[in-house]
Amino acid sequence: MSTPIPSPPGLPFLGNAFDISSENESGWAGNRLINNHVGKIFKLNLGGSERLFVSTNDLVNELCDEKRFEKAVSGGLAQLRHLTHDGLFTAFTGEHNWEIAHRTLMPSFGPLPISQMFSDMHDIASQLVLKWARYGPDYKIPVTDDFTRLTLDSIALTAMGMRFNSFYSEEMHPFVNGMLDVLRESGERSSRPAFADRFMGSRKYKFDSDIAFLRGTAKDLLNQRRQHPNDNKDLLNAMIKGKDPKTGESLNEETVIDNMITFLIAGHETTSGMLSFLFYHLLKNPSALQQARAEVDDVVGDSPVTLAHLKKVPFITACLRETLRLNPTAVAFGVTPKEDEIIGGDYLPFGNGMRACIGRPFAWQEAQLAVVMLLQNFDFTLDDPSYQLEIKQTLTIKPKDFFMRATLRREHAIAEGSSRSDPSVTAQKSKVPEAATVSTEAAPMYIYYGSNTGTCESMANSLASAAAGHGYKAIVDILDRAPDVKPKEVPVVVITASYEGEPPDNAVHFFNWMESLKGNILEGVSYAVFGCGNRDWVSTYQRIPKLIDSTLAERGAHRLTERGFADANDGELFDNFDRWQDEKLWPAITKAFGKQTKGPDTEDGGLSLELSTSSRSTLLRQDVQDALVTGTKVLSGPGASKKNMHIEVQLPTGTSYTAGDYLAVLPINPVRSTRRAMARFGLPWDATVKINPSSQTSLPTDRNTGAFNILSAYVELGQPVTMKQASKVAQSIPEDKLRAELETTIQNKFKAEIQSKNTSLLDLLEKYPTATFSFGQFLDSLPMMRVRQYSISSSPLADPTRCTLTYTVIDSPMQADPSKRYLGVASNYLAQCEPGDRIHVAVRPSQGFHPPRDDSIPILMICAGTGIAPFRAFIQERALKIEAGKTLGPALLFYGCGAPDSDAMYTDELKRWQSLGAVDVRYSFSRAPEKSKGCKHVQDRLWNDREEAAELFRRDAKIYLCGSGGVGTSVNVVMKKVYVEANDGVSESEAEEWVRSLKGERYWADIFS
């Protein structure tokens, strides 16, 4: 006999709405209070809708039985269907589009794909670390806001290659604001009577407008990816290119858009809440905070955080779990019975069964990484020590008005934080097995796998690769094809997982076939089983591997070795698999089949070596790191007076910059220059040098080093010779006449004949080939290779992980000897780089040369040639802000170059940005002044358009100049003339003082040679 479900008394129309508050710590947990008075199961009337609640482990576990209950999409979740329809999060059970998307996307959330997202997650987490470090210990950190920025930016970048750049602006991206408003309104709609919406026309309009904007933005992003496809292994490509393994269907456009938005919502909301609650509890429990920090110090220390470290922080993992127990950010999930039911702890995270959170491994890795990096870099305190937890709620709950402060634990954490993802030195014992050749006499073995996410398939392929080295030819296939073969007298390995206690999609046929077998039909089959699973699903953990292992033995097959297993939750899936095959499987195969197999330590491998990518920069004392060249292009057109180039660089993970900063490049001498030096001293290309370790030098000592390497990478071959060096060369010349000639030049004409012509020591030695100036003297005389700084020509708002440089390739006749070429070291080095090359770089901040913090302030930009570099960054940033809906003050760019068709750079971009209102460009063409109002030089155009420039100046415009010293001098002259013209009776000296007074306040100049 059934018992009526108890319910507390309620109010007319409103029911029990006021029995559950979300504005204090008891908040949504008010149901616990009701539970104490009513019972472990109770009924509430919420705005006319009757809902049942249970809150004991036994009842929750009973309701998680998928044979009797299924996910209920109701309340705020049902309202969210207006936005995401039948996406993964909001679909009703059994909807066809959900089934297609679920099967198509499951492989993208396997351990391997998630681990490959680590770098992007680290990128975003590093931005959070750098923000808090730069804001300093007095900054009042808005905890939930910044963790929302972290999780939103992480899912957007890893899933879709989309950057919200939330840490580069005080305001959230419009997409984010629209999404948060829809979430908030969905939650509020579900808590008020349906008739109330009829009287809230403005809120309905806002709700519908936000939805249209969000879906429109997602569609634009989808169209952009289709127009510019790439090979990224992200979720967007999986949705565009993937097919349902069961039906062969692809996701339609509406379903892709539904799930793009679903991932952004579900991928950030609960994780940011969990992190916020975690730091609240840690700060309220100092001993736990101290233990967590000690664990980070022991496991990571000062090293860059790697994926491997996340496997070794059990206390932090336990803290995250305890946080979810105390304050689950998704306070409840709903189920509905499939038919009328009568119902009568374990921890069940992220939903349950087949509707469990598909992105759980993503969220867990992201949260662990963030906590480890933050505890490694900061000491935390509450902003208000008396703060008591309060709750704010949308579809989930988070702490309300929770602030904390962060103090750097180490003085140089910001600089070191820029290299957090990878050490600057890659030093490793390399033992890479060569691809084994399969003998024609190799015995066969069969490897069958069952896999939805691709993990077990990867293991099967890994085992097949190892098999060749053990004398076997492996045949790899899905489990569903095993019944067609029934291999006997050869090893058979089964690698499979369980999915909610059921076999993988490509193992269902095999499983049914296996269960139908009778007797000892599998006699003669020798097998081993390895299972993958997740211990969080306690009742079904390893169910399928266990059943396959036991059933095969019951049907007469011979078990070669005990079943291997791995838990995806401990992060050591592949380590456990490797140990099992090395320590259990291969020895068992040897024993059963009488073959001699190779142990893991006797496999043919590569050379044992130590590889370093920073020995040069360390010896040269240059703080640079490896960066990847991702693109190059020539900016000059036919007939250009100079060769101008553009290069794009992917920065070291964690490195950040702002518009106006510099990129320092550690170059290598041009090959032609290095060959000249080798030839001058008669050295073959493979000559080596061993410098005595007692020598005072930054060159490599006490080891044989290639002379070519030293000359190309360590010394400045083009450095102008000094008078002292020239005198030593003269002293080494055996011919009296030639020696006297050089000595006379040094004494009387050194500046005119040597210094002003940039004559190098190498130039001088080539001119006097009989000089006995030794190679040791030559190396000792040369300065060490130094970095060259270039203005960055891109904005981090476009992509904070990449920057571009704009430069002129210096290749001109030598002044000292016009028959030879003078080659700029860094410009020629960059010009020969190709995508995929690695270079050594470091971001250097500029002092004041940045766009105004206040976007409403007008700006005047003046440049010539490649001086446009920082202004391309300024204008690109302005354009992106305008596209995001911001209003900016006006900007004038005065740009001088040779001719419009051959020398003007970025013309198409500037036209587009001008059409947006980001800039007004005023050209001056020295070789075509008729096309620039008769103005040949940038200072001429500035004078010609001085009224408009002066008007902006009167509106408090900031002035920026980038160009050569000559350009700087000429522009200063024009500024003085404008001042004198506008102020009768002002003297030239007063005008000069006025210009000087502007510098560093409203006028910044970046002058290069």
Side-chain angles (χ1 to χ4, degrees):
M1 186 177 81
S2 62
T3 301
I5 297 175
S7 174
L11 299 173
F13 299 108
L14 298 177
N16 303 112
F18 289 106
D19 291 327
I20 297 182
S21 167
S22 60
E23 298 303 322
N24 51 56
E25 192 205 353
S26 60
W28 227 104
N31 63 348
R32 293 201 293 268
L33 179 63
I34 298 171
N35 180 47
N36 291 336
H37 294 284
V38 179
K40 61 185 179 181
I41 179 171
F42 54 89
K43 177 171 56 178
L44 296 180
N45 183 331
L46 300 177
S49 175
E50 195 172 79
R51 300 181 193 175
L52 308 182
F53 293 81
V54 301
S55 57
T56 66
N57 290 334
D58 291 341
L59 288 177
V60 169
N61 284 338
E62 185 174 354
L63 290 173
C64 287
D65 182 355
E66 287 190 283
K67 294 182 174 63
R68 299 166 59 196
F69 301 91
E70 62 187 17
K71 176 177 178 176
V73 178
S74 59
L77 205 57
Q79 293 295 331
L80 198 58
R81 280 179 63 93
H82 290 289
L83 173 63
T84 57
H85 307 116
D86 52 5
L88 288 171
F89 187 40
T90 49
F92 296 115
T93 298
E95 285 193 277
H96 186 58
N97 284 333
W98 174 86
E99 292 176 336
I100 295 173
H102 184 76
R103 289 190 292 262
T104 301
L105 293 172
M106 274 296 291
S108 299
F109 288 95
L112 267 181
I114 295 297
S115 68
Q116 291 164 356
M117 298 177 184
F118 178 84
S119 179
D120 284 341
M121 290 181 180
H122 192 289
D123 177 343
I124 302 302
S126 296
Q127 294 179 28
L128 175 61
V129 169
L130 289 168
K131 175 186 175 179
W132 288 359
R134 287 172 172 167
Y135 274 52
D138 296 328
Y139 177 56
K140 186 176 176 180
I141 296 173
V143 179
T144 58
D145 286 353
D146 273 2
F147 280 140
T148 295
R149 286 179 163 90
L150 170 77
T151 53
L152 268 169
D153 281 23
S154 293
I155 187 64
L157 179 60
T158 54
M160 283 157 263
M162 180 181 184
R163 287 189 178 273
F164 284 128
N165 293 321
S166 300
F167 293 111
Y168 294 87
S169 173
E170 291 300 318
E171 299 176 3
M172 289 286 197
H173 189 284
F175 187 96
V176 178
N177 291 327
M179 182 172 62
L180 295 177
D181 287 346
V182 169
L183 287 174
R184 188 179 301 109
E185 178 64 10
S186 295
E188 292 179 2
R189 278 184 164 212
S190 67
S191 63
R192 61 182 182 241
F195 67 81
D197 289 335
R198 301 175 187 174
F199 306 101
M200 297 182 173
S202 61
R203 294 182 66 165
K204 182 179 185 304
Y205 176 79
K206 175 72 164 60
F207 186 64
D208 293 341
S209 298
D210 285 337
I211 288 173
F213 171 72
L214 294 175
R215 294 188 66 84
T217 303
K219 185 173 183 179
D220 289 344
L221 181 63
L222 174 60
N223 290 337
Q224 183 179 358
R225 177 64 65 87
R226 282 177 168 159
Q227 292 166 8
H228 306 284
N230 58 43
D231 295 325
N232 293 348
K233 303 296 183 183
D234 59 16
L235 296 179
L236 184 53
N237 273 348
M239 289 188 282
I240 293 172
K241 302 176 182 180
K243 292 183 181 296
D244 180 2
K246 184 175 181 179
T247 67
E249 294 177 81
S250 299
L251 277 66
N252 62 49
E253 182 173 283
E254 290 301 305
T255 300
V256 171
I257 292 172
D258 290 340
N259 285 297
M260 287 172 69
I261 301 173
T262 293
F263 286 130
L264 290 171
I265 293 174
H268 93 276
E269 183 74 358
T270 52
T271 311
S272 60
M274 175 175 66
L275 289 170
S276 301
F277 282 122
L278 170 70
F279 275 83
Y280 167 78
H281 288 299
L282 287 176
L283 289 169
K284 284 293 187 178
N285 295 274
S287 61
L289 176 59
Q290 184 177 2
Q291 187 173 347
R293 188 167 52 219
E295 182 175 69
V296 172
D297 291 345
D298 290 343
V299 173
V300 185
D302 291 338
S303 303
V305 180
T306 67
L307 184 61
H309 289 139
L310 303 189
K311 306 171 186 176
K312 303 173 184 177
V313 286
F315 183 75
I316 287 174
T317 300
C319 289
L320 286 165
R321 292 177 180 275
E322 181 67 359
T323 297
L324 285 176
R325 186 186 72 82
L326 292 170
N327 299 102
T329 55
V331 292
F333 63 90
V335 297
T336 185
K338 295 182 177 181
E339 54 187 54
D340 289 345
E341 291 282 356
I342 297 177
I343 62 171
D346 292 329
Y347 164 63
L348 291 170
F350 298 92
N352 73 293
M354 68 186 302
R355 295 303 299 274
C357 175
I358 193 173
R360 179 187 177 281
F362 176 97
W364 205 250
Q365 177 174 295
E366 175 188 27
Q368 285 181 309
L369 173 62
V371 175
V372 170
M373 290 183 67
L374 292 174
L375 293 181
Q376 181 190 42
N377 283 283
F378 299 104
D379 288 322
F380 292 98
T381 57
L382 283 167
D383 175 64
D384 177 6
S386 64
Y387 173 78
Q388 295 299 315
L389 183 62
E390 296 184 4
I391 301 296
K392 64 179 179 181
Q393 179 178 356
T394 53
L395 284 181
T396 64
I397 60 170
K398 294 179 182 179
K400 180 182 179 182
D401 297 330
F402 173 37
F403 299 92
M404 63 184 184
R405 297 177 187 265
T407 303
L408 279 171
R409 298 181 64 192
R410 293 172 298 118
E411 184 178 354
H412 302 297
I414 298 179
E416 295 175 8
S418 67
S419 61
R420 280 280 171 225
S421 68
D422 291 297
S424 59
V425 178
T426 306
Q428 61 185 18
K429 294 293 182 181
S430 174
K431 189 181 178 188
V432 183
E434 297 176 356
T437 302
V438 181
S439 167
T440 55
E441 299 178 357
M445 70 177 293
Y446 290 84
I447 304 171
Y448 293 106
Y449 66 88
S451 178
N452 280 359
T453 67
T455 301
C456 291
E457 181 180 1
S458 295
M459 290 178 172
N461 289 324
S462 172
L463 182 61
S465 297
H470 290 273
Y472 285 89
K473 180 179 181 181
I475 296 95
V476 181
D477 212 335
I478 61 174
L479 266 171
D480 275 350
R481 296 202 180 100
D484 300 330
V485 180
K486 294 188 286 293
K488 295 188 178 183
E489 309 305 330
V490 295
V492 178
V493 181
V494 174
I495 305 171
T496 188
S498 293
Y499 293 92
E500 292 93 40
E502 300 298 323
D505 292 341
N506 53 14
V508 173
H509 174 62
F510 168 83
F511 194 75
N512 293 335
W513 167 82
M514 182 188 70
E515 289 192 316
S516 70
L517 298 177
K518 306 294 183 183
N520 294 330
I521 192 171
L522 297 180
E523 281 187 4
V525 174
S526 297
Y527 76 96
V529 176
F530 188 89
C532 296
N534 189 318
R535 288 189 186 276
D536 281 342
W537 316 116
V538 178
S539 61
T540 60
Y541 178 63
Q542 297 280 341
R543 176 177 178 267
I544 298 303
K546 288 177 183 177
L547 282 173
I548 291 176
D549 186 35
S550 60
T551 304
L552 293 180
E554 290 169 3
R555 295 293 163 256
H558 167 63
R559 182 186 290 118
L560 288 168
T561 186
E562 63 189 61
R563 175 177 53 85
F565 61 90
D567 178 12
N569 215 27
D570 65 12
E572 296 187 352
L573 271 175
F574 289 91
D575 291 332
N576 289 333
F577 177 67
D578 288 342
R579 282 193 291 269
W580 176 76
Q581 65 163 307
D582 291 338
E583 298 171 10
K584 302 288 186 180
L585 179 64
W586 291 118
I589 290 176
T590 298
K591 182 178 180 180
F593 294 94
K595 289 182 176 290
Q596 181 65 43
T597 63
K598 297 179 181 179
D601 294 329
T602 61
E603 293 180 8
D604 293 334
L607 299 174
S608 179
L609 54 83
E610 289 189 4
L611 178 66
S612 173
T613 63
S614 69
S615 59
R616 179 171 79 118
S617 58
T618 301
L619 286 169
L620 296 175
R621 299 183 178 88
Q622 297 291 349
D623 182 20
V624 291
Q625 299 173 265
D626 287 349
L628 179 69
V629 176
T630 56
T632 64
K633 64 180 177 181
V634 177
L635 298 175
S636 306
S641 56
K642 298 177 181 178
K643 184 178 181 181
N644 296 319
M645 297 282 293
H646 172 99
I647 187 169
E648 181 183 74
V649 177
Q650 181 176 310
L651 296 168
T653 302
T655 301
S656 64
Y657 70 97
T658 58
D661 284 347
Y662 306 100
L663 191 71
V665 179
L666 183 61
I668 291 174
N669 283 309
V671 173
R672 280 184 283 175
S673 300
T674 305
R675 285 176 174 167
R676 284 174 54 207
M678 293 286 285
R680 169 58 181 79
F681 290 98
L683 300 175
W685 69 269
D686 56 353
T688 61
V689 178
K690 186 176 182 180
I691 301 173
N692 191 301
S694 63
S695 302
Q696 296 298 313
T697 180
S698 293
L699 297 174
T701 61
D702 203 26
R703 65 176 186 263
N704 286 321
T705 307
F708 194 95
N709 182 34
I710 288 178
L711 291 170
S712 65
Y714 286 90
V715 294
E716 293 280 359
L717 293 178
Q719 181 74 18
V721 67
T722 66
M723 184 177 290
K724 182 178 180 180
Q725 291 167 351
S727 296
K728 287 183 178 181
V729 171
Q731 293 167 15
S732 73
I733 298 174
E735 296 87 356
D736 294 340
K737 182 180 179 181
L738 294 177
R739 182 172 62 252
E741 174 189 287
L742 180 55
E743 287 176 342
T744 300
T745 302
I746 294 170
Q747 292 171 7
N748 302 324
K749 302 178 182 178
F750 181 79
K751 186 172 184 179
E753 294 296 324
I754 296 178
Q755 190 179 65
S756 66
K757 295 181 180 180
N758 289 320
T759 303
S760 69
L761 179 57
L762 178 57
D763 296 335
L764 202 61
L765 288 170
E766 286 180 323
K767 184 174 182 180
Y768 297 96
T770 60
T772 58
F773 199 81
S774 70
F775 189 57
Q777 287 178 289
F778 181 67
L779 292 180
D780 189 43
S781 300
L782 298 177
M784 294 299 100
M785 182 66 76
R786 65 183 186 278
V787 297
R788 271 68 167 174
Q789 282 195 171
Y790 290 91
S791 292
I792 294 174
S793 59
S794 60
S795 165
L797 293 189
D799 187 343
T801 68
R802 301 188 183 206
C803 74
T804 64
L805 303 180
T806 306
Y807 62 97
T808 298
V809 181
I810 306 300
D811 183 351
S812 58
M814 286 185 184
Q815 295 183 55
D817 183 356
S819 67
K820 297 178 181 178
R821 307 294 294 179
Y822 174 77
L823 305 175
V825 177
S827 64
N828 279 272
Y829 169 64
L830 292 175
Q832 56 84 37
C833 288
E834 296 179 354
D837 288 344
R838 292 193 173 271
I839 60 176
H840 283 120
V841 303
V843 170
R844 300 280 191 260
S846 69
Q847 300 301 318
F849 202 93
H850 299 290
R853 289 182 178 273
D854 184 348
D855 289 327
S856 66
I857 295 176
I859 60 174
L860 279 167
M861 298 166 284
I862 308 162
C863 66
T866 53
I868 195 172
F871 300 138
R872 178 180 183 265
F874 284 25
I875 301 165
Q876 183 182 51
E877 187 160 295
R878 288 172 56 85
L880 289 168
K881 288 181 177 181
I882 290 171
E883 288 176 331
K886 297 198 73 172
T887 301
L888 277 66
L892 262 178
L893 171 66
F894 291 91
Y895 175 25
C897 59
D901 297 329
S902 56
D903 300 292
M905 292 174 271
Y906 305 114
T907 52
D908 290 340
E909 284 182 336
L910 290 173
K911 285 179 183 177
R912 185 170 68 83
W913 292 338
Q914 182 157 325
S915 69
L916 286 173
V919 69
D920 184 355
V921 185
R922 307 296 173 88
Y923 288 100
S924 53
F925 301 119
S926 60
R927 294 194 290 135
E930 70 279 2
K931 296 183 179 180
S932 53
K933 295 191 174 182
C935 301
K936 291 187 67 173
H937 304 292
V938 67
Q939 61 268 25
D940 301 332
R941 187 63 189 263
L942 178 61
W943 176 253
N944 185 83
D945 297 357
R946 60 190 180 278
E947 290 185 7
E948 291 163 274
E951 173 59 28
L952 288 189
F953 187 81
R954 285 189 287 271
R955 294 171 57 183
D956 296 324
K958 306 293 186 184
I959 305 172
Y960 302 88
L961 166 70
C962 186
S964 66
V967 172
T969 300
S970 299
V971 168
N972 285 345
V973 169
V974 171
M975 289 177 66
K976 287 186 287 185
K977 286 173 62 180
V978 173
Y979 184 73
V980 170
E981 182 182 64
N983 297 273
D984 292 336
V986 172
S987 67
E988 185 174 339
S989 61
E990 288 175 318
E992 187 169 342
E993 178 59 31
W994 174 77
V995 171
R996 188 180 301 112
S997 69
L998 294 176
K999 293 182 178 179
E1001 297 293 334
R1002 292 182 60 186
Y1003 176 29
W1004 290 269
D1006 187 356
I1007 303 299
F1008 54 83
S1009 57

